[in-house]
Amino acid sequence: MAAMAKLPVNASLTAADKIRLYRDMVRIRRFEERSVRIYQQAKIGGFLHLYIGQEACAVGTISLLGKNDHIITAYRDHGHALAVGMTMNECMAELCGKHTGCSKGKGGSMHFFAPDKRYWGGHGIVGGQVPLGTGLAYALKFKGIKGCCLTYMGDGAVNQGAVHEAYNLAALWDLPVVFIIENNMYSMGTSQKRSSAGEPLAKRADGYDMAWDMCNGNVLYEVREKTATAIKRAHEESKPTLLEVFTYRYRGHSAADPDNTYRDKQEIQDYKENRDPITLFQRTLQFEDVLDDATVAKIDEEARAEADAAAKFADDSPFPPPESIMQDIYWEEDNRSDKTNSHGRMFFQDLE
């Protein structure tokens, strides 16, 4: 950890920057824990895919993005949403299907979007976001803009045909995309060893003459260092990278799934006690004299209060009105009279 801290991408961080990164991870953790309680109260319909245990992946990678960089992910998307700057209020309201949610209550847990922050979801089809992320990178290259698209997927998506088609086009056309496998080892409920031939998964990039790398997703400094290299390759060479980030989720695939039927309880406890990304970064910052016990307690208290306030905001918010049922659909957006606020138009305006 000390060696990683001295690398240029991390050495340039100020004390305030480091505390912000720590706070971002704690906020994600407390948001997710609060959402579990709301789910148990039957206020969240459908699925709830929690990010608890994976916080360093989203915070570490997203902390490096510039004004022309974009993000797209799968359905375990709450951590990325908060990391790009979305509010707990709009995210919690969306979980509850409320009209004040980021997708007006129509997307739910799996479909968070923030076009103004270049965050393009939140997608429910396994691997379906990977060709879309490749398309975002293509648009950047086509318009001659120096940027990239971080395209996240879980280890369960790597065997999808569309993922390999995306790898092929990205390598063939030299697209500025960083494919990030958030490998939490268990896909839905089957271990990687039983579902995917060949290790590491990132090595599959060799078949496309694509650069690849791996990193410990529990160590925020390492995530930043490996991601920075991939982003630099995208920006300066317009070349893709496949980055495998080894991480771990403490809960089941979704909140409705049992988490102790396909993995040992001791394994989960070991990660919580010895490899937790928040605890590891907290200890690092305390060793660096950046963080003290009082600040740790204050950050935690503030994050819990923010999550509680977001839960109340969601409770107090209205459901979408019946007359909105035909709004925000493809035909309506393409044919609206005011010609504003279309996500597609916003994207290309951003790329101007």
Side-chain angles (χ1 to χ4, degrees), residues 9 25 51 64 78 94 98 120 197 201 209 212 234 238 262 268 284 307 335 338 348:
V9 68
M25 287 199 290
Y51 205 65
L64 294 159
H78 313 155
E94 189 60 39
K98 297 301 184 72
W120 302 100
L201 299 177
D209 294 329
W212 62 274
S238 188
Y262 53 85
I268 302 172
T284 297
N335 293 276
D338 59 5
F348 284 105

Side-chain angles (χ1 to χ4, degrees), residues 67-87:
K67 66 176 183 177
N68 292 319
D69 297 320
H70 296 253
I71 304 154
I72 193 167
T73 189
Y75 42 75
R76 199 177 304 278
D77 58 354
H78 313 155
H80 309 81
L82 294 175
V84 301
M86 292 175 68
T87 67

Side-chain angles (χ1 to χ4, degrees), residues 19 22 282 285-299:
I19 291 174
Y22 175 76
Q282 176 186 321
L285 298 188
Q286 288 174 325
F287 176 79
E288 295 177 2
D289 290 326
V290 169
L291 201 60
D292 56 29
D293 291 342
T295 305
V296 168
K298 185 173 183 288
I299 288 172

Side-chain angles (χ1 to χ4, degrees), residues 98-117:
K98 297 301 184 72
H99 197 49
T100 53
C102 58
S103 298
K104 301 180 183 178
K106 298 179 177 182
S109 170
M110 298 191 287
H111 302 288
F112 284 7
F113 287 88
D116 62 313
K117 295 175 175 60

Side-chain angles (χ1 to χ4, degrees), residues 2-246:
M4 286 287 175
K6 294 178 182 179
L7 294 170
V9 68
N10 297 317
S12 63
L13 292 170
T14 66
D17 291 334
K18 293 176 181 181
I19 291 174
R20 175 180 52 80
L21 294 173
Y22 175 76
R23 179 181 289 109
D24 286 347
M25 287 199 290
V26 173
R27 289 179 66 247
I28 292 170
R29 178 73 58 90
R30 300 309 173 220
F31 175 89
E32 295 288 65
E33 290 172 345
R34 190 66 178 87
S35 70
V36 173
R37 290 165 56 190
I38 295 174
Y39 183 87
Q40 291 169 341
Q41 294 168 346
K43 294 179 180 179
I44 296 176
F47 292 101
L48 179 68
H49 299 91
L50 300 166
Y51 205 65
I52 298 173
Q54 301 186 203
E55 295 87 356
C57 298
V59 173
T61 54
I62 290 170
S63 66
L64 294 159
L65 299 189
K67 66 176 183 177
N68 292 319
D69 297 320
H70 296 253
I71 304 154
I72 193 167
T73 189
Y75 42 75
R76 199 177 304 278
D77 58 354
H78 313 155
H80 309 81
L82 294 175
V84 301
M86 292 175 68
T87 67
M88 282 197 192
N89 279 0
E90 65 182 316
C91 292
M92 197 72 81
E94 189 60 39
L95 291 182
C96 297
K98 297 301 184 72
H99 197 49
T100 53
C102 58
S103 298
K104 301 180 183 178
K106 298 179 177 182
S109 170
M110 298 191 287
H111 302 288
F112 284 7
F113 287 88
D116 62 313
K117 295 175 175 60
R118 301 176 303 283
Y119 178 54
W120 302 100
H123 293 267
I125 302 299
V126 175
Q129 76 282 2
V130 180
L132 300 179
T134 307
L136 289 165
Y138 177 85
L140 288 165
K141 183 169 184 175
F142 181 80
K143 297 183 76 70
I145 295 170
K146 185 178 179 179
C148 72
C149 181
L150 299 189
T151 302
Y152 300 84
M153 70 193 89
D155 52 292
V158 298
N159 300 318
Q160 294 290 329
V163 171
H164 288 268
E165 291 172 7
Y167 289 172
N168 182 60
L169 289 180
L172 191 65
W173 293 342
D174 290 333
L175 299 182
V177 56
V178 181
F179 298 111
I180 299 175
I181 303 171
E182 293 186 283
N183 187 349
N184 60 30
M185 299 168 52
Y186 285 99
S187 301
M188 290 182 68
T190 304
S191 71
Q192 179 190 315
K193 293 183 183 297
R194 295 179 57 216
S195 63
S196 298
E199 293 181 322
L201 299 177
K203 192 176 181 180
R204 296 182 181 190
D206 280 342
Y208 302 96
D209 294 329
M210 188 192 308
W212 62 274
D213 207 341
M214 303 174 293
C215 73
N216 183 345
N218 301 316
V219 179
L220 186 132
Y221 281 159
E222 184 172 341
V223 173
R224 279 177 51 86
E225 191 272 330
K226 297 290 188 178
T227 306
T229 300
I231 290 176
K232 182 178 180 181
R233 182 178 295 117
H235 284 179
E236 298 183 1
E237 303 176 42
S238 188
K239 292 277 191 179
T241 302
L242 180 56
L243 178 62
E244 184 172 3
V245 182
F246 294 98

